[in-house]
């Protein structure tokens, strides 16, 4: 009697439908049967999305809070996850000490990267074939100053030549930070062998000079350009200015180095701090303030900021000028580096034994390789940002932001 009353209360178009559609079975949200049912329908209907899957289920079942449980179940599907993998982003690390500590000079801590290729001609003449050139960009990690060198190829010899030109113009460097390019690794091996030869043969005479001039190489993790974001951002700025200026034109070598010198001058004149509208305020601090203020091999200078200017000797005026720039650098620039722009929350850390998908932008998503984490490399703050992954083709070291753990773990 009750069933006939309910049928009579339905609109006329619904009276001809099946009874399970008119009176669906009510199911709870948290139940193993519900999860199995959603998984069965999801696979049966070719890994349907949340809205379509909920529409299909409601033809027979009415699941409480269906949309939430369906989305949760689909997010755990490995097949759907492989089509659109999502990596985990650990908390952004604190800035290294050389970014927030006053250095002896500009380019004491230097990041280096290549960009290109750029087509050029040796001379401006008819019938001359074009050649490829690469930009070797050196960035001071403390003052954000820039230096650009042109390399004609990607071999180690070309990088060493660019490095020699850079050191001749900007003075000695204590630390060089590179990515894992093969030319950078070859340069490190070449200089290490040369250093070993020199120390064994001529150590008594050159020990003091080598102690001053020896450069320590530091490499970032493979496939982790965000580890070198300080110099990667400068590469982006150089490329933007260069391509806006030359467009599709092919320049002669002399024209190319002239344009690059002007871009270097422009970027070294950019303000590091916010410009003030008060005309009485000093001009904004720029990277150019820290360039060409010291000899290439300068001696340590005492602190002269408290001494009156009229009593200073002539040779200490330059020291006071340089120290005033560094004082402004501490008071006006350093506080801007405190804010984290992204990755402000801790994610679930990866562990040994986790099965992951390794991101590779050069291949389709479904072709990204699977791997198992065999070792993690915690940073100084204890957060894992780099891991060693074992794949079918060998063992790789990759940053965590390139690893997508499968959701069924």
């Amino acid at each position: 009697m009750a069933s006939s009353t309910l049928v009579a209360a339905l609109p006329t178009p619904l009276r001809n439908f099946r009874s399970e559609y008119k009176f669906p079975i009510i199911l709870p949200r948290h139940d193993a049967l519900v999860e199995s049912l959603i998984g069965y329908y999801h696979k049966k209907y070719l890994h349907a999305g949340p809205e379509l899957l909920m529409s299909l289920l409601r033809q027979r079942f009415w699941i409480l809070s269906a949309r939430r449980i369906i989305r949760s179940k689909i997010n755990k599907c490995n097949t759907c996850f492989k089509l659109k993998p999502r990596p985990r982003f650990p908390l952004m690390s604190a800035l290294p000490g050389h970014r927030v500590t006053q250095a002896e000079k500009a380019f004491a801590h230097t990041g280096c990267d290549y960009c290109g290729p750029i087509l050029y001609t040796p001379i401006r003449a008819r019938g001359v074939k074009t050649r490829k050139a690469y930009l070797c960009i050196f960035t001071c990690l403390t003052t954000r100053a820039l230096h650009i060198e042109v390399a004609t190829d990607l071999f180690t010899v070309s990088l060493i030549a660019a490095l020699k030109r850079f050191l001749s113009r900007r003075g000695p460097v204590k630390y060089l930070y590179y990515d894992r390019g093969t030319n950078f690794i070859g340069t490190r091996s070449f200089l290490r062998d040369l250093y070993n030869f020199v120390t064994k043969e001529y150590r008594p005479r050159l020990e003091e000079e080598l102690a001053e001039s020896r450069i320590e190489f530091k490499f970032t993790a493979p496939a982790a350009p965000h580890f070198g974001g300080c110099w990667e951002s400068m590469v982006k700025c150089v490329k933007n200015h260069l391509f806006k200026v030359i467009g599709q034109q092919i320049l002669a070598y002399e024209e190319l180095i002239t344009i690059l010198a002007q871009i270097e001058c422009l970027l070294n004149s950019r303000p590091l701090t916010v410009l003030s509208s008060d005309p009485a305020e000093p001009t904004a601090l720029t990277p150019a303030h820290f360039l060409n203020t010291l000899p290439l091999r300068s001696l340590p200078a005492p602190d002269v900021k408290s001494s009156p200017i009229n009593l200073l000797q002539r040779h200490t005026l330059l020291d006071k000028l340089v120290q005033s720039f560094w004082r402004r650098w501490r008071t006006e620039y350093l506080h801007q580096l405190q804010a984290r722009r992204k990755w402000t929350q801790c994610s679930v850390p990866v562990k040994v034994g986790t099965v992951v998908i390794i991101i590779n932008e050069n291949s389709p998503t479904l072709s990204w390789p699977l791997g198992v984490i065999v070792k993690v490399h915690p940073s100084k703050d204890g957060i894992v940002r780099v891991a060693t992954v074992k794949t079918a083709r060998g063992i790789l070291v990759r940053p965590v932001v390139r690893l997508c753990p499968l959701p069924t773990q």
Side-chain angles (χ1 to χ4, degrees):
M1 184 66 181
S3 176
S4 60
T5 304
L6 290 174
V7 173
L10 291 172
T12 303
L14 296 179
R15 294 177 183 176
N16 298 326
F17 289 161
R18 297 174 301 174
S19 60
E20 60 266 21
Y21 184 82
K22 293 182 290 185
F23 308 105
I25 301 173
I26 299 177
L27 296 175
R29 174 188 171 190
H30 297 290
D31 193 83
L33 175 62
V34 173
E35 293 185 1
S36 300
L37 191 63
I38 294 174
Y40 170 75
Y41 270 72
H42 181 59
K43 294 180 180 178
K44 179 181 178 180
Y45 293 100
L46 308 178
H47 296 272
E51 298 299 329
L52 177 58
L53 188 57
M54 186 170 63
S55 176
L56 295 171
L57 284 168
R58 281 188 174 176
Q59 294 180 13
R60 296 189 59 186
F61 310 98
W62 189 275
I63 304 174
L64 302 180
S65 302
R67 182 174 282 103
R68 184 182 302 176
I69 187 63
I70 288 174
R71 287 183 181 275
S72 174
K73 187 65 177 179
I74 291 178
N75 289 337
K76 295 180 180 179
C77 177
N78 287 339
T79 303
C80 297
F81 184 81
K82 289 180 181 179
L83 185 63
K84 195 175 181 180
R86 295 179 301 275
R88 294 177 183 175
F89 299 99
L91 180 69
M92 182 178 290
S93 173
L95 290 176
H98 55 262
R99 289 289 308 277
V100 295
T101 306
Q102 176 178 332
E104 297 84 355
K105 57 180 289 293
F107 293 105
H109 297 264
T110 303
C112 178
D113 198 9
Y114 262 50
C115 68
I118 300 173
L119 295 180
Y120 76 100
T121 57
I123 58 174
R124 178 65 65 184
R126 182 177 297 178
V128 179
K129 294 183 178 180
T130 59
R131 299 181 181 178
K132 292 182 180 179
Y134 299 86
L135 304 184
C136 190
I137 300 177
F138 298 91
T139 304
C140 176
L141 304 185
T142 306
T143 65
R144 306 288 297 176
L146 177 73
H147 183 89
I148 304 175
E149 290 290 344
V150 179
T152 54
D153 53 52
L154 292 175
F155 294 112
T156 301
V157 175
S158 181
L159 175 59
I160 293 176
L163 183 61
K164 288 181 179 179
R165 295 194 298 269
F166 165 71
L167 295 176
S168 300
R169 296 176 181 174
R170 300 302 183 186
V173 173
K174 286 190 174 181
Y175 299 93
L176 278 175
Y177 298 82
Y178 289 125
D179 58 17
R180 288 284 177 173
T182 55
N183 54 333
F184 293 145
I185 295 177
T187 302
R188 182 187 64 172
S189 302
F190 174 83
L191 293 181
R192 183 178 61 241
D193 295 340
L194 180 61
Y195 177 77
N196 291 336
F197 170 77
V198 170
T199 53
K200 290 180 181 179
E201 297 290 335
Y202 303 102
R203 184 173 186 130
R205 292 181 297 173
L206 301 179
E207 184 176 6
E208 183 177 355
E209 183 175 353
L210 288 175
E212 296 179 359
S213 304
R214 186 184 178 187
I215 299 173
E216 183 175 345
F217 285 77
K218 291 183 178 293
F219 287 96
T220 61
H226 63 282
F227 279 26
C230 187
W231 58 84
E232 293 287 351
S233 61
M234 299 308 301
V235 172
K236 178 182 177 181
C237 293
V238 172
K239 292 170 68 175
N240 285 340
H241 285 289
L242 180 63
F243 293 130
K244 286 179 182 178
V245 171
I246 67 175
Q248 298 294 328
Q249 301 181 45
I250 298 178
L251 303 179
Y253 182 79
E254 184 178 359
E255 297 171 340
L256 177 62
I257 59 176
T258 302
I259 290 293
L260 292 176
Q262 292 176 332
I263 293 176
E264 178 185 319
C265 174
L266 175 66
L267 292 178
N268 282 335
S269 301
R270 73 192 188 281
L272 293 176
T273 57
V274 179
L275 296 175
S276 175
S277 57
D278 187 359
E281 291 290 331
T283 58
L285 192 66
T286 67
H289 285 97
F290 301 92
L291 301 176
N292 303 324
T293 56
L294 290 175
L296 293 183
R297 294 186 176 273
S298 59
L299 296 175
D303 188 4
V304 294
K305 64 181 180 180
S306 59
S307 303
I309 299 179
N310 56 348
L311 298 180
L312 290 177
Q313 297 181 5
R314 190 66 186 174
H315 67 275
T316 61
L317 290 178
L318 184 60
D319 295 335
K320 185 175 180 62
L321 176 66
V322 174
Q323 291 171 10
S324 67
F325 292 152
W326 283 111
R327 186 167 59 254
R328 291 187 59 191
W329 177 84
R330 291 192 299 269
T331 58
E332 300 177 15
Y333 173 68
L334 275 186
H335 66 87
Q336 301 179 7
L337 304 178
Q338 295 180 357
R340 288 183 171 94
R341 305 298 180 184
K342 58 180 181 179
W343 305 347
T344 57
Q345 298 179 352
C346 294
S347 61
V348 179
V350 296
K351 300 179 181 179
V352 175
T354 305
V355 181
V356 296
I357 298 176
I358 304 175
I359 296 177
N360 182 13
E361 288 89 351
N362 297 326
S363 61
T365 307
L366 294 177
S367 300
W368 290 355
L370 284 172
V372 180
I373 295 179
V374 295
K375 186 178 180 182
V376 295
H377 306 278
S379 303
K380 293 181 179 180
D381 54 3
I383 299 178
V384 177
R385 297 184 177 89
V386 181
T388 302
V389 186
K390 183 179 181 180
T391 65
R393 297 186 176 182
I395 296 179
L396 304 174
V397 179
R398 290 293 181 269
V400 173
V401 297
R402 297 280 178 176
L403 305 178
C404 308
L406 294 181
T408 55
Q409 302 176 84

